[in-house]
Amino acid sequence: MIRSTHAVRAAALAGAAALVLAACSSGDSGDDATDGASADSGSPLIIGTLLPQTGSLAQLGPPEIAGVDLAVQDINAAGGVLGQDVQVEHTDSSDAEHAEVATQSVQDLISQDVSVIIGAASSSVTRNVIDDITGANIVQISPANTATDLSGYSDFYFRTAPPDTVQGAALANLILGDGAVNPGVIVFNDDYGTSLRNVVEQVVTDQGGTLSYGTAGQEFDPNETNFNTIVSGALATSPDAIAIIAFTTQTPLIVSELAAQGYDMSKVYFVDGNLTQFGEEFQAGLLEGAQGTLPGAFPSDEFQARLLEVNDGLTDFSYAPESYDATILAALAAVKGGATDGETIQANMAAVSGADGGEKCATFEECVELLDAGEDIDYEAQSGVGPFNADNDPSNAYIGVYTFGADNKYTFTKSEFGEVG
C-alpha cells in the first residue's frame, strides 16, 4: 500500500529560501535478533518517508520517492514482510527555512505507528527531527544526508549515502586531476556547505595546492540574492577552477554572475546539492565542459527504466538508488528479526547489509530465500555502497562524475570509489 500525506500545503511554502543537505549517521549496529521466517508477524511493516516535496531541495524529492515506491512494489510482489504487504506513508520534509513542516510530518508519522522513516534529504532538517524520531525507537534512514559531524549520532540513525569525506575527496581530486592548483570555492554558510568545503580544502592543501577563495570566513549567506561582489571577490584571487557548493536556490544566480564577469565556465564544478539538468535555463553551450559530483553508483539502464514506470516524469535519478536500498534494507532487517518493530529492525540493519559477511543477494526475494534457509546475507545495494560500519555509515561508496554538454544537461562520465574513514 502506498499512501501520501502532506503536512503543510505547498502554497504555504512559497518563497522558501535556503536549506541544508548534510550528513547523519548512527551508532552501533546492534546485535542480531532471531533469524526471520515467513510466518505472519502480526503487525505489518509501516514505512514513512520524510522527503522534500517543497522547498529548496524539492528537485530531490521525486527520484527519492520513486526509489521508495519501487522498493515497496518489489517487496510486496515477493510476498511482503512476514506475510503482509508493506505500507508507505509519504510526507513532506520541506527545508530548514520551514522547519515546522518536517516537525509536523514526523508527528504525523509517529501517530501512524511507523517503524522506519526514510529521510530527510537535508542534514539540517534531520538535525531538527532526529531526536524525536530515534527517541521513539523508530529507525531513521537517510538516503542523502552527508555531513561528516553527524556520523554515529544514534543507534537508530542510518544512512545509505556516504559522508562528505568521500564526495569532498572525489571533488578535490577531480579538480586537481584537471590541472588546477589554485581553485576557489563559492560556498554558502550552512553545515552542508562548510562540511564539504572543509574536506575539499584539506585534500587540496595536502596535495600541495592552495584554496584561493572560500576559506573560513568567506562563505555567503544562504539568503543572498546579489552575487556581483561575491563573484568579483572570488575572481580577484585568480582561481584556476571554481567549485560552487550551494543549492539550486542560489546556484543559477552564481552561474549567471560568473558568466557575466567572463569566467571560463568549463572550469566550474557542481556538487550533489546543485547538480541539476539546467537545460534552457541558460543560453545554449554556457555550461559545456563543466562537471559535477554525485554520491552513488550510476543507476543501470534497467533500474532507470523501472523508476520511470513508477514516475514517468523523472528527469534525473539523484538518490533514487539510495532510497530504494534504504527501504529494502529495513524490510530485510524485519524479516531477519522476525518482527516489524523499530528495535528489531535496528538490531538487524547492519547484519543484512553484509557487515557480518554472508551470501550475496541482489533482490529482496533472493535475500529472503537465504534468510529463510538460515543463511547470513550481504545485500548488494543498487547504490553500490558497502555494509554499514560502526557509525551506521556505508563503509565504502562510489561517487559519480558528470559532465555538462552543449544543451546544459549533464551525462555520466565515470565513477570514483572511496572508503569511509
Side-chain angles (χ1 to χ4, degrees), residues 103-312:
T103 298
Q104 182 60 57
S105 291
V106 167
Q107 295 308 310
D108 288 348
L109 292 174
I110 290 174
S111 72
Q112 295 179 67
D113 294 325
V114 301
S115 297
V116 178
I117 291 178
I118 308 297
S122 156
S123 294
S124 288
V125 171
T126 286
R127 286 192 180 92
N128 288 335
V129 298
I130 187 171
D131 290 336
D132 290 338
I133 296 171
T134 61
N137 289 340
I138 294 170
V139 174
Q140 180 179 1
I141 315 171
S142 173
N145 284 172
T146 60
T148 54
D149 63 340
L150 290 176
S151 292
Y153 187 93
S154 165
D155 287 350
F156 280 79
Y157 178 85
F158 297 78
R159 60 179 164 189
T160 50
D164 283 328
T165 50
V166 182
Q167 182 181 197
L171 175 62
N173 287 321
L174 175 65
I175 293 170
L176 294 171
D178 288 342
V181 295
N182 191 46
V185 177
I186 298 178
V187 54
F188 62 173
N189 188 22
D190 67 27
D191 295 338
Y192 166 69
T194 56
S195 174
L196 191 50
R197 182 275 315 277
N198 290 346
V199 177
V200 171
E201 183 175 16
Q202 184 68 54
V203 173
V204 168
T205 55
D206 283 351
Q207 297 191 34
T210 303
L211 205 63
S212 71
Y213 183 85
T215 58
Q218 293 181 315
E219 305 88 358
F220 68 84
D221 189 305
N223 294 312
E224 183 62 65
T225 58
N226 186 340
F227 288 92
N228 179 276
T229 301
I230 293 167
V231 168
S232 295
L235 296 187
T237 66
S238 301
D240 48 13
I242 289 180
I244 302 174
I245 303 179
F247 290 145
T248 54
T249 303
Q250 308 93 4
T251 297
L253 300 174
I254 298 170
V255 168
S256 296
E257 192 61 46
L258 283 168
Q261 295 193 30
Y263 193 71
D264 181 353
M265 301 304 290
S266 69
K267 296 181 178 180
V268 171
Y269 297 79
F270 299 88
V271 290
D272 60 317
N274 58 13
L275 185 65
T276 190
Q277 304 289 17
F278 291 104
E280 295 180 357
E281 185 167 357
F282 302 120
Q283 68 183 58
L286 180 65
L287 293 179
E288 187 170 8
Q291 298 177 79
T293 55
L294 178 68
F298 185 68
S300 67
D301 290 344
E302 178 187 4
F303 190 67
Q304 291 182 47
R306 298 189 67 220
L307 287 166
L308 288 169
E309 290 177 359
V310 173
N311 180 352
D312 61 8

Side-chain angles (χ1 to χ4, degrees), residues 10-155:
L13 300 177
L19 127 51
V20 180
L21 187 68
C24 246
S25 196
S26 66
D28 299 333
S29 60
D31 296 325
D32 290 351
T34 307
D35 280 354
S38 59
D40 191 319
S41 65
S43 299
L45 174 60
I46 306 175
I47 295 175
T49 70
L50 183 69
L51 298 169
Q53 300 173 14
T54 60
S56 54
L57 279 184
Q59 82 277 5
L60 294 180
E64 291 172 338
I65 292 168
V68 173
D69 286 346
L70 179 58
V72 170
Q73 288 183 16
D74 288 350
I75 293 165
N76 290 343
V81 169
L82 303 173
Q84 297 196 64
D85 280 355
V86 174
Q87 300 175 17
V88 178
E89 301 289 343
H90 292 303
T91 68
D92 185 15
S93 66
S94 190
D95 58 33
E97 292 296 310
H98 299 86
E100 72 282 356
V101 177
T103 298
Q104 182 60 57
S105 291
V106 167
Q107 295 308 310
D108 288 348
L109 292 174
I110 290 174
S111 72
Q112 295 179 67
D113 294 325
V114 301
S115 297
V116 178
I117 291 178
I118 308 297
S122 156
S123 294
S124 288
V125 171
T126 286
R127 286 192 180 92
N128 288 335
V129 298
I130 187 171
D131 290 336
D132 290 338
I133 296 171
T134 61
N137 289 340
I138 294 170
V139 174
Q140 180 179 1
I141 315 171
S142 173
N145 284 172
T146 60
T148 54
D149 63 340
L150 290 176
S151 292
Y153 187 93
S154 165
D155 287 350

